[in-house]
Amino acid sequence: MRQYFFDTADYLKSLLVGDEVYTAYLSGEDSDFCRFNGGRIRQAGSVKQNQLTLRLINGARHAAATVSLAGSKSSDQAALTSIVAELREQLAELPDDPYLMYATEVQSSDSVRASELPDSRDTVAQLVTKSKGLDMVGIFASGSIYRGFANSLGQRNWYACHPFNFDFSLYLRADKAVKSGYAGFHWQDQACDSKLHAAREQLEILKLTPKTIKPGKYRVYLSPAALNEVTDMLAWNGFGLKSHKTKQTSLLRMVDAGASMHESVTMLEHTAAGLSPDFSSAGFKRPAHVHLIERGQYKDCLVSPRSAKEFGVSTNGASEGESPESLEMAPGSIDLAQVPEVLGDGVYINNLWYLNYSDQSACRMTGLTRFASFWVEGGKIEQPLNVMRFDESALRMFGDHLIGLTKEREMIMSSHTYGQRSVSSVHLPGALVKDFSFTL
């Protein structure tokens, strides 16, 4: 696909007239999918698609359109010829964009990760076997993901990876289930077995009579999956330059008032270790990492090209939404196996959902526990916990209420497939927090 994309890029240049410039961004995949229900295959299929977003620029005017490439030179070139003509007509009617910024310094790159994926049919057959006797529901996705950038100035970027993602739940009854997942680039039976075994053990505890606790403050453990929901909220306008300059960031107290988190908290956008490509859809190269919070102190933010132009700074290749795509959090010193012991009496939270800000300027968020959360007493997991609502400030969770972070971290790849497989990922430890507020 790489050569076909580059040949298409050369053809696009032949369509330009005068001072016109184009940029082109390719999002492609060749994926196998399988949905499970009751531990059996419910739906299987494959998707091969390549979406090309073409932007035509003339001076400070620009217009864009997205087209599916069929892989046929004649039909794709005919479609692109028509689209360029349509975009040219639109440009004549559009005003100048004062914040238009596109890559003018040619920085080509080529990053191809070798595929280590087993045959999807074999993997699916194994999952059915491993799930025998379990009411397993979930989705398995596997295959190649491509991203490419080209412009009429001669820049060419290519990125290819071959990840898998098995997102599953072991269902008990009603709203009782254990959720887990296994994702990566190199399938390991032992790792998959370990995930299923841990989920199976929690499923047994889930069969016990659930406990309801009174609203109040408790010691809690947030698993990497639960912590992912919290950092996902922080990513919503938390780390972008635009939100900082317009005072809409949930980290406003860190940016403007000198508030800080615990010195063990370091968060960074670690593109070099994540799933996303090292170039943006606008053609800007991304640094290997951007430290967002370093040892508890606000450090830097993500800067899209438009924000860079608006506020007169350099871009670091962030997406238009200025949200992290490869967020990483530094590990702590607590062994995962010792979490119940360190927790003592408290709540072991596997997942959260329905999160939203209850006071964004104070970085205060609310949400519900989800799936298997447990009551821990005397350092032992005793019984499942009925659903609770929390309302807590992330500045306190990661600040003076933070007991510690686990040594072990989990790489969580997004299982989103809205239109195409996501290339977002996080690498997070678990967190032990004191005085965590449950309100209902």
Side-chain angles (χ1 to χ4, degrees), residues 296-316:
Q297 304 294 321
Y298 163 74
K299 179 69 174 178
D300 210 343
C301 54
L302 300 174
V303 186
S304 70
R306 292 187 69 80
S307 290
K309 187 69 176 289
E310 182 175 359
F311 300 108
V313 299
S314 298
T315 179
N316 50 25

Side-chain angles (χ1 to χ4, degrees), residues 28-32 113-118 120 140-146 159-166 182-187 274-276 411 413-414 421-425:
E29 66 175 310
D30 188 355
S31 303
D32 296 324
R113 185 190 294 262
S115 175
E116 301 180 69
L117 294 174
S120 295
F140 170 77
S142 177
S144 303
I145 294 177
Y146 309 109
Y159 170 80
C161 63
H162 314 276
F164 66 86
N165 199 335
F166 176 41
Y182 172 46
F185 299 97
H186 176 63
W187 182 272
L275 189 59
S276 63
M411 181 77 168
M413 296 182 181
S414 172
R421 290 170 67 194
S422 171
V423 290
S424 293
S425 63

Side-chain angles (χ1 to χ4, degrees), residues 240-308:
L241 177 66
K242 178 83 172 184
S243 64
H244 286 202
K245 292 292 186 182
T246 57
K247 310 300 182 187
Q248 297 180 68
T249 173
S250 57
L251 301 176
L252 187 62
R253 293 186 179 183
M254 295 187 75
V255 177
D256 277 4
S260 61
M261 294 181 176
H262 193 280
E263 66 173 5
S264 64
V265 174
T266 292
M267 297 185 190
L268 61 155
E269 170 72 335
H270 199 171
T271 300
L275 189 59
S276 63
D278 61 352
F279 56 88
S280 71
S281 60
F284 289 93
K285 287 284 289 179
R286 291 169 169 163
H289 51 74
V290 178
H291 276 80
L292 307 170
I293 296 171
E294 188 169 27
R295 297 183 64 81
Q297 304 294 321
Y298 163 74
K299 179 69 174 178
D300 210 343
C301 54
L302 300 174
V303 186
S304 70
R306 292 187 69 80
S307 290

